[in-house]
Amino acid sequence: MKDMGKLIDWKKKGNELRIRFEHREMIITALTDEIINVFVPIWSDEHRSKAVEESDLKRVAKSGPTSVDVKAVEEIKEGNGLRPEAGVELRTGKLKVKISNEGCVDFYTLEGKLLSGEYRGERKPIITLGIWEMELLKAEGHTVADTVLGKPVNDVRAVDPDEHFYGLGDKMGLLDKRSYEYENWNTDDPSAHNEQYRSLYKSVPFLICKKKECAYGLFYDNTFHSYFDLGKENPEYMAYSAEDGNLDLYFIGGESIKKVVGNYTLLTGRAPLPQLWTLGYHQCRWGYSSAKDIREVAEKFRELGIPCESVQYDIDYMDGYRVFTWNEKDYGKPGELFKELGAKGYKPVVIIDPGTKREKGYFMYEEGTEGGFFFRNSDDTEDYVNAVWPGEANYPDFGRKEVRDWWGKHINELCDMGVAAIWNDMNEPASFNGPLPLDVVGYDEERKTTHRELHNVYGHFMAKATYDAMKEYTGKRPLVITRAAYAGTQKYAAVWTGDNQSLWFHLAMMIPQLCTLGMCGYPVCGVDIGGFGADTTPELLARWIEASCFSTFFRNHSANGCIRQEPWKFGKEVTDIYRKYVKLHYRFLPYIYDLMHEEEENGLPVMRPLVMHYEDDEVTYNLNDEFLVGEKLLVAPVVTPGERVRKVYLPEGTWYSLWTGAKHRGRRFFLEEAPLGHMPVYVKAGSVIPMYEEMSYVGEKPIDRISLLTTPEGGSLVHYQDGGEDFSYREGNYNLYRFDVDGTGKTEITMLNEAQDVKPYDYFRVIRLH
Ligand code: MIG
């Protein structure tokens, strides 16, 4: 880090190295052999992390470093062209960190390979501003250097010419984020998100860097407005900066992308195993505006034999968009429709926005005002007012426990009504009367602060409030779906990518976007199938349901005013294709569930970019139109209109077509027939994949049998089965099977764990591809 001044002295205490420089201190902490925190307290002495909580640190401590040694070094010579410099060196069981006397921090493997070196030169920003913008800057008394370079928190790191970047949450752009520029400032922008968008709804300042034969991660834990320039300004470096806060960098080693992701999620937490039904199919529309609408749609799914778990309740179910109220006029008595549809297997999922209507006599307004639970205006004299759906509204200050508890109490009332899952929207937070001023007052627990610091964690805290309340109250694994998030929100919520549109380009972007969310610790994620805004077409919807077949958040959703988007609106051909892929999703549900269970252990997502498993294969570095499900399935959806033959790439190994059993040699491209309704899917040789029988919804009938899909080589499978709802699996209440299937289909079963009260399968059968 620049501007530290000269090194004065240093002291090692346990895993921690404190270095005093002329102008600042730097604290290096080895949390594990591979996770190293570099902390420069520019703004506060403590970390004040929202992503890494006390409980996270306790968990990480269990994998503490095997050794931490520190010594002074005369000359730091190693590394690609770095000048010899004196400084201090910290070594763990896996990594070496060198801190120069000028405060530059470089990370190496123990063998001396440079993973990430601080850039020693000056930043040379390319001026991309137009004449008009330049004039404006001048008029306001700024220079370009002020705006691009004048941030208090900076880290500029040298990058290799062939280095690739992944991660950063829900950001647009391709899988490889090199040459893009991004901002972390949660943003609700309903226009069509394009490739060059710098920010969307979430801020996950975690970057995965892939160099020849190694990978590492950089997690900049800072909730203020921050920026990444990934070699756009200059191909020699990447630059991170933030408007305020500390430099709080976690360097994440691990050699492979998989291990880096595993380490990042060890640090920020892993998504808990969801209830089985939540992984099924969901239908939604902003515009199902009465009990009649919901009922009709729910019944139609059953009638057409298309599986479905929920028809979700968007904002119209509320009385005048007042949160925690019910519109009886259009939806009948609270809870009645839930019961009626519950009998048909439907679980109620309702939307809850944060914006609380300002209206005398409305209980949320009265309680919130009375309790002092809302954001305050900048001079802290009155509650801050903006507007959202209900008109003038206040914003709950979720950073305080008492506010979260208050909110949670009302969440519990929804649970009493029968609500099974909560969908959180508008929590960037969105506002109709211009953005919230940065100096709006809120709290981080007892500490008074402003929206500048709290903005990017607003959705995070709202999701936490909801998750904690539901978990405690119901004892079940809560499904909270959130639009806004920060790093670590995966502990509390699943995510969707907000308002996409019915555009072929958005169908295509789904693949890098969801793969990226997965690499950033969000295994339960999805996009609005069919597109939220704009009007979908029969072909687009058919291709969209194909491509989403393996999504963990699997929901068709569309906006009021756009064409209705249920499959039957598009005739028999589309309905048949739709049914085929929703049914296929349910058949593969046990595979997805196994992967989610494994994710709690290894942090790996369900949907993965090929580069995660084939890191030495350059073709995969920026492959945007294929993905893996776990490592056994490869999916190559058609995402281009009119295309009926697809170019498919299969990596190393042997693969079998799921549909025909045709055998393919990997590490090559080939053409595959892909008429409408046919999505190329391949099974890796030596795989055994669990499958259920067909069902209309989870809970329709006991799941008493399992099928094992195998390739001609046979293989083995560790398969997990539990009751699908509560947390008793954490006390061992689950069955764990190992199936060893040989080349003839003969199968040996070993029970690795037996549940107290989960009935094992009565039957199994082997389905052999050949
Ligand atoms: O300003 O609740 O992204 O899924 O249907 C729009 C209405 C508010 C935005 C969400 C979308 C939802 C819609 N909401």
Coordinates of all heavy atoms in Angstrom, one line a residue, residues 706 708 717 719 736-741 746-753 760-766:
I706 N -34.7 -45.1 -5.5 CA -33.7 -44.2 -6.1 C -33.2 -44.9 -7.3 O -33.1 -46.2 -7.3 CB -32.6 -43.9 -5.1 CG1 -31.7 -42.8 -5.6 CG2 -31.7 -45.1 -4.7 CD1 -32.2 -41.4 -5.2
L708 N -30.1 -45.1 -10.2 CA -28.6 -44.8 -10.3 C -28.3 -44.8 -11.8 O -28.3 -45.8 -12.5 CB -27.8 -45.9 -9.6 CG -28.1 -46.1 -8.1 CD1 -27.4 -47.3 -7.6 CD2 -27.9 -44.9 -7.3
L717 N -20.8 -43.9 -6.0 CA -21.6 -42.7 -5.6 C -21.7 -42.7 -4.1 O -22.1 -43.7 -3.5 CB -23.0 -42.7 -6.2 CG -24.0 -41.7 -5.7 CD1 -23.7 -40.3 -6.1 CD2 -25.4 -42.1 -6.1
H719 N -24.2 -41.0 -1.6 CA -25.5 -40.4 -1.7 C -26.1 -40.1 -0.3 O -26.1 -40.9 0.6 CB -26.4 -41.2 -2.5 CG -27.9 -40.8 -2.5 ND1 -28.2 -39.6 -3.0 CD2 -29.0 -41.4 -2.1 CE1 -29.5 -39.4 -2.9 NE2 -30.0 -40.5 -2.3
L736 N -26.5 -42.1 4.8 CA -25.5 -41.9 3.8 C -25.1 -43.2 3.2 O -24.8 -44.2 3.9 CB -24.2 -41.2 4.4 CG -23.3 -40.6 3.4 CD1 -23.9 -39.3 2.8 CD2 -22.0 -40.1 4.2
Y737 N -25.3 -43.3 1.9 CA -25.1 -44.6 1.2 C -23.8 -44.5 0.3 O -23.6 -43.4 -0.3 CB -26.2 -44.9 0.2 CG -27.6 -44.8 0.7 CD1 -28.3 -43.6 0.9 CD2 -28.3 -46.0 1.0 CE1 -29.6 -43.6 1.4 CE2 -29.6 -46.0 1.5 CZ -30.2 -44.8 1.7 OH -31.5 -44.7 2.1
R738 N -23.2 -45.6 0.2 CA -22.2 -45.7 -0.9 C -22.7 -46.8 -1.9 O -22.9 -47.9 -1.5 CB -20.8 -45.9 -0.5 CG -19.8 -45.4 -1.6 CD -18.4 -45.6 -1.3 NE -18.0 -47.0 -1.3 CZ -17.3 -47.6 -0.4 NH1 -16.8 -46.8 0.6 NH2 -17.0 -48.8 -0.4
F739 N -22.8 -46.4 -3.1 CA -23.2 -47.4 -4.2 C -22.0 -47.6 -5.0 O -21.5 -46.7 -5.6 CB -24.3 -46.8 -5.0 CG -25.6 -46.6 -4.3 CD1 -26.0 -45.3 -3.9 CD2 -26.5 -47.7 -4.0 CE1 -27.2 -45.1 -3.3 CE2 -27.7 -47.4 -3.3 CZ -28.1 -46.2 -3.0
D740 N -21.6 -48.9 -5.1 CA -20.5 -49.2 -6.1 C -21.1 -50.0 -7.2 O -21.6 -51.2 -6.9 CB -19.4 -50.0 -5.3 CG -18.7 -49.2 -4.3 OD1 -18.0 -48.2 -4.8 OD2 -18.8 -49.4 -3.1
V741 N -21.1 -49.5 -8.4 CA -21.8 -50.1 -9.5 C -20.7 -50.6 -10.4 O -19.8 -49.8 -10.8 CB -22.7 -49.1 -10.2 CG1 -23.5 -49.8 -11.3 CG2 -23.6 -48.4 -9.3
K746 N -24.0 -54.6 -11.7 CA -24.0 -55.2 -10.4 C -23.6 -54.1 -9.3 O -22.7 -53.4 -9.5 CB -23.1 -56.4 -10.3 CG -23.6 -57.4 -9.3 CD -22.8 -58.7 -9.4 CE -22.1 -58.9 -8.1 NZ -20.7 -58.7 -7.9
T747 N -24.4 -54.0 -8.2 CA -24.3 -52.9 -7.3 C -24.1 -53.4 -5.9 O -24.8 -54.3 -5.4 CB -25.5 -52.0 -7.4 OG1 -25.6 -51.6 -8.7 CG2 -25.3 -50.8 -6.5
E748 N -23.1 -52.8 -5.2 CA -22.9 -53.1 -3.8 C -23.3 -51.8 -3.0 O -22.9 -50.7 -3.4 CB -21.5 -53.4 -3.6 CG -21.2 -54.7 -2.9 CD -19.7 -54.9 -2.8 OE1 -19.1 -54.2 -1.9 OE2 -19.1 -55.6 -3.6
I749 N -24.1 -52.0 -1.9 CA -24.5 -50.9 -1.1 C -23.8 -50.9 0.2 O -23.9 -51.9 0.9 CB -26.0 -50.8 -0.9 CG1 -26.7 -51.0 -2.3 CG2 -26.4 -49.6 -0.2 CD1 -28.2 -51.1 -2.2
T750 N -23.2 -49.8 0.6 CA -22.6 -49.7 2.0 C -23.3 -48.6 2.7 O -23.4 -47.5 2.1 CB -21.1 -49.5 1.9 OG1 -20.6 -50.2 0.9 CG2 -20.4 -49.8 3.2
M751 N -23.8 -48.8 3.9 CA -24.4 -47.7 4.6 C -23.3 -47.0 5.4 O -22.7 -47.6 6.3 CB -25.4 -48.2 5.6 CG -26.8 -48.6 5.0 SD -27.5 -47.4 4.0 CE -28.5 -46.4 5.2
L752 N -23.0 -45.7 5.1 CA -22.0 -45.0 5.8 C -22.5 -44.3 7.0 O -21.8 -44.0 7.9 CB -21.3 -44.0 4.9 CG -20.7 -44.5 3.6 CD1 -20.3 -43.4 2.7 CD2 -19.6 -45.5 3.9
N753 N -23.8 -44.0 7.0 CA -24.5 -43.5 8.2 C -25.9 -43.8 8.2 O -26.5 -43.9 7.1 CB -24.3 -41.9 8.2 CG -24.7 -41.4 9.6 OD1 -24.0 -41.6 10.6 ND2 -25.7 -40.6 9.6
P760 N -34.9 -45.6 5.1 CA -34.1 -45.8 3.9 C -34.9 -46.2 2.7 O -36.1 -46.6 2.8 CB -33.1 -46.9 4.3 CG -33.3 -47.1 5.7 CD -34.6 -46.5 6.1
Y761 N -34.4 -46.1 1.5 CA -35.1 -46.5 0.3 C -35.5 -47.9 0.3 O -34.8 -48.8 0.8 CB -34.3 -46.2 -1.0 CG -33.8 -44.8 -1.1 CD1 -32.4 -44.5 -1.0 CD2 -34.7 -43.8 -1.4 CE1 -32.0 -43.2 -1.2 CE2 -34.3 -42.5 -1.6 CZ -32.9 -42.2 -1.5 OH -32.5 -40.9 -1.6
D762 N -36.7 -48.2 -0.2 CA -37.1 -49.6 -0.4 C -36.5 -50.3 -1.6 O -36.2 -51.5 -1.7 CB -38.6 -49.7 -0.5 CG -39.3 -49.4 0.8 OD1 -38.6 -49.6 1.9 OD2 -40.4 -48.8 0.8
Y763 N -36.3 -49.5 -2.6 CA -35.8 -50.0 -3.9 C -34.8 -49.1 -4.5 O -34.8 -47.9 -4.3 CB -37.0 -50.1 -5.0 CG -38.3 -50.6 -4.5 CD1 -39.2 -49.8 -4.0 CD2 -38.5 -52.0 -4.6 CE1 -40.5 -50.3 -3.6 CE2 -39.7 -52.5 -4.2 CZ -40.7 -51.7 -3.7 OH -41.9 -52.2 -3.3
F764 N -33.9 -49.7 -5.3 CA -33.1 -49.0 -6.2 C -33.0 -49.7 -7.5 O -33.2 -50.9 -7.6 CB -31.7 -48.7 -5.6 CG -30.8 -49.9 -5.7 CD1 -29.9 -50.0 -6.8 CD2 -30.8 -50.9 -4.7 CE1 -29.1 -51.1 -6.8 CE2 -30.0 -52.0 -4.8 CZ -29.1 -52.1 -5.8
R765 N -32.7 -48.9 -8.6 CA -32.5 -49.6 -9.9 C -31.3 -48.8 -10.6 O -31.1 -47.7 -10.3 CB -33.7 -49.6 -10.7 CG -34.2 -48.2 -11.2 CD -35.4 -48.3 -12.0 NE -36.0 -47.0 -12.1 CZ -36.3 -46.5 -13.3 NH1 -36.2 -47.1 -14.4 NH2 -36.9 -45.2 -13.4
V766 N -30.7 -49.6 -11.5 CA -29.6 -49.0 -12.2 C -30.0 -48.7 -13.6 O -30.7 -49.5 -14.3 CB -28.4 -50.0 -12.2 CG1 -27.3 -49.5 -13.1 CG2 -27.9 -50.2 -10.8

